Amino acid sequence: MKPIVAIVGRPNVGKSTLFNRLLGHRRAIVDDLPGVTRDRNYATITRFDKPFILIDTGGFEPVTEDRLLQQMREQSSLAMEEADVIIFMMDARSGLTPADIEVATMLRRVKKPIFYVVNKVDGEKLENESAEFYSLGIERLHTISAEHNRGVIDLMEDLLDVFPEADAGIPDDEITRIAVVGRPNVGKSSLVNRLLGFERMVANPTAGTTRDSVDTLFTCNKKNYLLIDTAGIRRKGKTTEKLEKYSVVDSLRSIERADVVLVVLDAEEGVTEQDERIAGYVHEAGRGCVFVVNKWDTLEKDNSTLGVYVDKVRTGFKYLAYAPIVFVSAKTGQRISKIMTTVDEVMGQYIHRVTTSDLNRVFSEATDAHHAPLAHGRRVKFYFATQVATRPPSFVIFTNQPDSIHFSYERYLVNRFREAFGFDGVPIRLIFRGREKNGAARHPLAKRERH
């Protein structure tokens, strides 16, 4: 296992800025408002001699009556328990605070390497004033400016010295990446907590509690998964706050990183225009999709309720007619296990590769049974097909008129491939190409032209 490093400290001391600095690019949302990061945010750092897992945490307030701050404190405590090394960050501009002293007192009971870091030290004056932090009774203090990369290299050199040698970890191709997306307050974080079996995410009735996309690596039935919880995606007109716009962009990036996306719908509210827009992002990204209808326990049901709701989903998401639907309750745990079973089925199709002989047999049967419409008064000829990629299954079809294939005929071929090869839960991409102009030999499995 790679060593785990947790960054903890009061709100707004620069934890996320250091997280992004060590990662090498912007991942955690950074803003001058306190409490921007609310969950534990994980990243694997591979830029240094020894790879490690870095955890960014929400602000740690030792004493607070605010429920959200209490949950953030709980998340920070869990991160400290999980970590092998702890970076305790303080703020030179604010000076030593009673909250810093209380956190430092707690850390004295932790039997792990702890690095005491004073951030925002941008000049000699603040460097000298930082001496007051030695009153905590510590032997070594690192003064840095995470924003300007001052002192960060020295901190990293000392940090790497305490790491044990890391193993290779889990290969990327053995991990299924699952993104959880949806409108604000449809129960995404509660669903993540239920899937993991513990309070991984801050779940709060206030819409927009999750702002960063948060990664959690876990194992289920001896299979490895990376679960990505994302911020709620609002309509563009409603994303007025700068922070919320960052969150939406981060959620869209998380879709791009995923193999399978769980699109969470609210059973009480039904399918909305924004749900359709979010699912459209998933479809355009070419990711496997599972519709998760949450809060199913809140509806009064009769024998027709399920069928009626399935029809609503299919009508609202016509372009995702292939995506399976799971009805669950994150609150009660109803049918939660069905989600992972469905994810495995979709992932199996997502990475499936068809033999060239089987592909061209089905392709020939399809084009013989239903000829493509004439294009510009000319007959469309097809030569052969080959699968060029998985994630999602992608096929190149060679033809004499690659730019003239009508979308309805393309849809017909996609449906034939779905039916023949079991691709009933994932998108399929078809790419039409012309033959080589140099007269290259025809593929041995190509159909002979009929006169």
Side-chain angles (χ1 to χ4, degrees), residues 149-263:
N149 203 28
R150 182 181 183 274
V152 175
I153 293 176
D154 291 338
L155 170 63
M156 283 309 305
E157 288 178 350
D158 290 346
L159 196 68
L160 294 176
D161 283 344
V162 304
F163 287 171
E165 291 297 328
D167 61 21
I170 303 170
D172 284 348
D173 60 1
E174 294 182 12
I175 300 174
T176 298
R177 290 167 171 77
I178 308 168
V180 183
V181 304
R183 293 180 291 109
N185 214 28
V186 294
K188 297 183 298 297
S189 294
S190 297
L191 185 65
V192 167
N193 289 337
R194 180 65 72 171
L195 285 170
L196 296 175
F198 61 92
E199 293 294 318
R200 170 64 180 87
M201 305 298 302
V202 172
N204 191 287
T206 304
T209 300
T210 299
R211 284 178 174 160
D212 289 308
S213 293
V214 181
D215 295 1
T216 306
L217 191 64
F218 73 105
T219 302
C220 179
N221 295 326
K222 299 182 179 179
K223 296 179 181 178
N224 300 306
Y225 303 90
L226 183 71
L227 198 57
I228 308 167
D229 185 30
T230 65
I233 304 176
R234 296 180 188 269
R235 287 191 295 109
K236 283 186 178 180
K238 291 193 174 182
T239 54
T240 53
E241 291 186 21
K242 179 176 66 172
L243 271 177
E244 195 160 7
K245 290 180 180 179
Y246 290 158
S247 296
V248 170
V249 172
D250 195 36
S251 296
L252 298 180
R253 287 175 178 165
S254 296
I255 291 173
E256 295 288 344
R257 289 198 292 135
D259 298 308
V260 181
V261 180
L262 306 182
V263 178

Side-chain angles (χ1 to χ4, degrees), residues 91 96 166 287:
D91 185 344
L96 185 62
R287 300 302 182 254

Side-chain angles (χ1 to χ4, degrees), residues 263 275-284 286-291 313-325 418 424-427:
V263 178
D275 291 326
E276 295 174 21
R277 198 169 288 114
I278 293 167
Y281 297 140
V282 179
H283 178 66
E284 290 169 9
R287 300 302 182 254
C289 177
V290 178
F291 289 113
V313 174
R314 293 303 180 210
T315 301
F317 306 101
K318 292 180 179 178
Y319 49 89
L320 282 163
Y322 56 82
I325 308 170
R418 285 196 195 285
D424 53 2
V426 294

Side-chain angles (χ1 to χ4, degrees), residues 322-390:
Y322 56 82
I325 308 170
V326 182
F327 296 86
V328 306
S329 168
K331 182 177 181 180
T332 67
Q334 180 185 18
R335 281 194 288 275
I336 289 294
S337 61
K338 180 66 175 175
I339 294 176
M340 296 310 298
T341 302
T342 307
V343 165
D344 287 343
E345 292 171 356
V346 171
M347 188 62 185
Q349 298 173 26
Y350 198 60
I351 63 176
H352 182 58
R353 188 172 288 276
V354 179
T355 65
T356 303
S357 58
D358 286 343
L359 174 62
N360 279 277
R361 174 182 53 79
V362 171
F363 180 52
S364 295
E365 292 171 355
T367 53
D368 284 344
H370 180 39
H371 296 292
L374 294 177
H376 309 296
R378 296 173 56 204
R379 179 184 171 190
V380 176
K381 302 175 185 177
F382 292 107
Y383 304 116
F384 66 95
T386 184
Q387 185 173 359
V388 293
T390 60

Side-chain angles (χ1 to χ4, degrees), residues 372-426:
L374 294 177
H376 309 296
R378 296 173 56 204
R379 179 184 171 190
V380 176
K381 302 175 185 177
F382 292 107
Y383 304 116
F384 66 95
T386 184
Q387 185 173 359
V388 293
T390 60
R391 301 173 183 253
S394 303
F395 304 89
V396 168
I397 295 175
F398 290 90
T399 174
N400 65 331
Q401 298 193 67
D403 298 325
S404 302
I405 308 300
H406 196 270
F407 74 88
S408 62
Y409 195 77
E410 179 178 353
R411 186 171 55 206
Y412 161 73
L413 292 176
V414 165
N415 290 334
R416 288 296 295 263
F417 288 176
R418 285 196 195 285
E419 181 182 350
F421 304 119
F423 291 126
D424 53 2
V426 294

Side-chain angles (χ1 to χ4, degrees), residues 85-88 107-108 110-116 140:
V85 181
I86 297 170
I87 295 175
F88 172 37
L107 289 175
R108 288 194 188 97
V110 177
K111 304 300 181 183
K112 298 175 181 178
I114 299 171
F115 287 80
Y116 294 85
R140 175 74 191 275

